[in-house]
Amino acid sequence: MKTNQQLRREFLKNMGWSALGVSALPLATSAISACESNAEKAIIKPASGNLAVRKNIADIPVDDAEIKVLKEAINILKKRSEIAPLDPSGWQAHGMLHATFCATSIYANQVHYNWYVWPWHRLYLWSMEQKLQKAVSEPSLALHYWDWTKSNTIPEHYWGDESNPLFNVTRLIDSSNEIPKDFINVGASFRAAKYKTFGGYPAIKKRGDAQLDGLAEQSFHNNIHNWIGGQMATFTESGFDPIFYAHHGNCDRIWDAWQAYSPENTLPQDEEWLEKRLFSTDGNGTPIDFKIKDLLSTEDLGYTFQDLDLNPTFCNPYEEKDKPVREASKVDCVAPLNLKTSQTEAIYTELIDRERTHVILHFERAQLPYQPYCARVFFEYDKEGERVSKYTGTFTILPILDLDSVLLQNGVHLQIEIEKEIAEAIQQQKNIEVVFQPVPLPNRNIPDEILKLENISLKLNYEDS
């Protein structure tokens, strides 16, 4: 059996670095696969210097030295927590850190439901990477990401039993379960030129203000958390499951890919965002803070991605055969679109020369469920004597607390992408019904109680309303 030192040397050799230190990285040009056939690939400059390269774990053999060193490092952090649960450099304390900023009712700390979600989680992953590197004295050790656009089952690295530090017994899926294609829709997010659409609106300032998550958070981020289930489907405990870091590693990568996809996809320049201080711990568990403006370059944080390629099969627009089809059921939530409170003319004008655009769908819940709710959203109306059903996206809606309150908000805002045909139906003042069809998840039942929706409307931009 190889010693830990031999494994590390093998790991460094495979990475193209000397065992005595980082001499050079292999050139890692990155390209993002086009979500639309005529889109050009965006090339990122080669990585250089002392950078950790994050890779798709599904591409690395399970018995590779790189994976063994990763497991060794995680084991060290877990053992620290067994000895001292509050050890700030241990696995448990790091998981609790996520709960501090994501499961909190202290809204000043909350990083979800607003435009802080991606910068803070980038910092959180950096914090874990630093702890792992220090645990095994390997500055070249990188976190991995799980590119679920290419491998839509959890990689085999994360299965087994408690002897595997990447395994988590609470997951409600197994190694054969495949993520539904519509759960992995990255295309609608990529075509969001405004960061507020992709990444979320500013945090609310007073109780009753509208909380607007970004499309990326509401769709593939939430969907996959919820699909895995167990600890991963909770704010309080998701940081304890190792698959969290692979999933969020891919979300962090998609944020970079979104910027590379189009020169129109730009970050906020608001001082409120750039100067915001976000908190975490460093590799020793010491409290630190970064301003968002210092978190925008992964290279400045010491890492890069092997590539930004995504599988275009999972980008909108799907071929019709790949779109979910609505088959009416007794648990569907159906309510009329209120054309009087919708920005009907503005939406129609926006789509005169375009095939699709992003809008904000607002609705109110007549009752407030205390669990995530995953649904496929359809718009239904009559067309040429037939009832048509147009799929617009799959979202996981979370029970969101109101500002500094233990009460849930009853208003929900979804950022969605609609096609021109829907805008034409709106402009023609057709009777349109919006359908939320609950999605069955592995080893879970759809709640018997139907979610009652009221006051559904569409707007182009919340701040202009």
Side-chain angles (χ1 to χ4, degrees), residues 328-339:
S329 74
K330 294 181 180 180
V331 293
D332 289 352
C333 314
V334 184
L337 177 66
N338 189 332
L339 296 176

Side-chain angles (χ1 to χ4, degrees), residues 419-435:
E419 298 177 5
K420 178 180 288 187
E421 184 178 319
I422 294 175
E424 291 172 344
I426 292 172
Q427 197 270 341
Q428 294 167 14
Q429 299 284 303
K430 291 189 175 183
N431 293 323
I432 300 174
E433 291 186 321
V434 182
V435 180

